[in-house]
Amino acid sequence: MTIPSSDAIAHYRETGYLELRNVVESTALQRLIATTDRLREAGRGLVAGTRHYDLEPGHSPDAPRIRRIASPTELDEVYVELAFGEVLGGIAAALIGGPVKFYHSKINFKLPHGGAEIGWHQDWSVFPHTNTNLVAISLPLNPSRRLNGCLRTIPGTHRQGPRSHWDGGRYLLNCNAQTTPEEVSRAVDSELDPGDIVAHHGLVVHGSAPNRSETMRTTWIIQYAAADAFAYTAPVIDSIHRNRMVHGEPSRFARVEAGSIELPPDFSAGYSGIYTLQDAPAAS
């Protein structure tokens, strides 16, 4: 099992995020990139989105605009091997501090020249669990830079508790209204290369800018949860692998943190995705 140093774990506890370099070895990384390219090419001919493929308006075979592949672990074994393996699974277990299970994963494509901005948000508030001990691991499959919309994190915000992702009775899937200019000024850009990772806590406020570059930004994101954290709501991205143990044994008990929980909408009939929700017109 890969274990971050005690200093790295302390940094994660303090800031809510952790960058690690050269985590995935070259052979596995190249296989992951090639498989992702193949899956993206397979979606070129779609005329509408599917359970796995989320398409931007204007998508066509000649100009494919795929912005997400959900649950890639169902589409190729390479994602299973890495998500449940000793390297990524070991990092998740070390940061969670005990037994850990898989919740979901997705591949996000931020398209050149305007690939969507992602507003400030907390993952836990989108899929609340009985406790907040969740960690997401983001692995870029091409260079992730400020210009192409790399992940931005506001350090320490995970220690301030949940923020509302509603505004005026409308669910926005962001907490922009509760994020101050001073906080934004402290945001850290995670500029990473393929094989690096950034892990972030379920309550840390994070987002990303639009892609203003010539190249697409491709990122595989895996969401893990502590074994004793159980979801209150329907999964936003379901998978046959949801709640499968990655490290340690399943928990017979749910650990419940005190406090009230503002729930997201009921996604049991389907989840349109952060892009659709954040771009929806305001209610009149």
Side-chain angles (χ1 to χ4, degrees):
M1 182 176 74
T2 298
I3 302 177
S5 69
S6 58
D7 286 347
I9 293 173
H11 179 276
Y12 174 79
R13 299 272 187 269
E14 176 67 20
T15 65
Y17 80 100
L18 176 66
E19 297 174 3
L20 296 172
R21 308 291 174 177
N22 300 312
V23 167
V24 180
E25 58 88 17
S26 176
T27 300
L29 179 63
Q30 292 309 311
R31 185 179 165 209
L32 179 64
I33 292 171
T35 303
T36 302
D37 288 344
R38 175 177 59 79
L39 292 179
R40 182 172 177 272
E41 184 65 22
R44 176 185 289 269
L46 293 173
V47 297
T50 70
R51 178 173 169 269
H52 289 291
Y53 287 85
D54 180 19
L55 309 178
E56 268 194 8
H59 168 85
S60 71
D62 293 332
R65 300 191 66 81
I66 299 166
R67 56 189 175 187
R68 171 172 291 172
I69 298 176
S71 299
T73 55
E74 297 183 343
L75 301 177
D76 194 280
E77 191 64 21
V78 67
Y79 302 101
V80 178
E81 293 172 10
L82 289 171
F84 288 84
E86 291 187 355
V87 176
L88 300 183
I91 292 169
L95 298 181
I96 279 177
V100 60
K101 59 190 175 184
F102 176 93
Y103 189 59
H104 68 236
S105 82
K106 59 206 173 192
I107 305 165
N108 285 349
F109 302 96
K110 185 166 285 197
L111 302 173
H113 299 297
E117 175 182 6
I118 302 297
W120 298 111
H121 66 283
Q122 299 169 307
D123 292 341
W124 183 89
S125 296
V126 180
F127 34 88
H129 283 57
T130 57
N131 63 70
T132 58
N133 199 2
L134 310 181
V135 62
I137 290 180
S138 298
L139 195 163
L141 301 184
N142 63 342
S144 186
R145 300 287 187 265
R146 291 181 182 90
L147 191 60
N148 67 4
C150 68
L151 184 74
R152 310 189 73 210
T153 305
I154 303 178
T157 46
H158 66 303
R159 293 182 278 109
Q160 298 170 358
R163 302 186 183 196
S164 178
H165 288 53
W166 293 79
D167 188 34
R170 176 176 166 235
Y171 186 69
L172 300 179
L173 214 156
N174 68 56
C175 55
N176 290 352
Q178 297 190 41
T179 304
T180 68
E182 186 279 328
E183 288 177 321
V184 173
S185 73
R186 295 189 287 106
V188 175
D189 295 291
S190 288
E191 294 197 299
L192 307 174
D193 291 318
D196 300 340
I197 68 160
V198 55
H200 64 265
H201 188 277
L203 277 183
V204 80
V205 176
H206 61 288
S208 62
N211 183 351
R212 297 185 175 89
S213 76
E214 301 280 347
T215 59
M216 180 168 60
R217 174 186 162 228
T218 303
T219 309
W220 180 36
I221 303 167
I222 314 160
Q223 184 70 57
Y224 296 99
D228 60 5
F230 292 85
Y232 283 113
T233 55
V236 296
I237 298 175
D238 207 355
S239 166
I240 60 174
H241 300 104
R242 180 167 57 91
N243 292 332
R244 180 187 292 186
M245 292 303 298
V246 174
H247 174 76
E249 298 298 321
S251 178
R252 291 178 51 213
F253 302 94
R255 182 169 59 86
V256 182
E257 292 178 357
S260 61
I261 296 171
E262 185 177 42
L263 298 175
D266 181 6
F267 292 127
S268 59
Y271 170 65
S272 57
I274 190 168
Y275 309 103
T276 305
L277 284 166
Q278 71 178 6
D279 294 338
S284 58

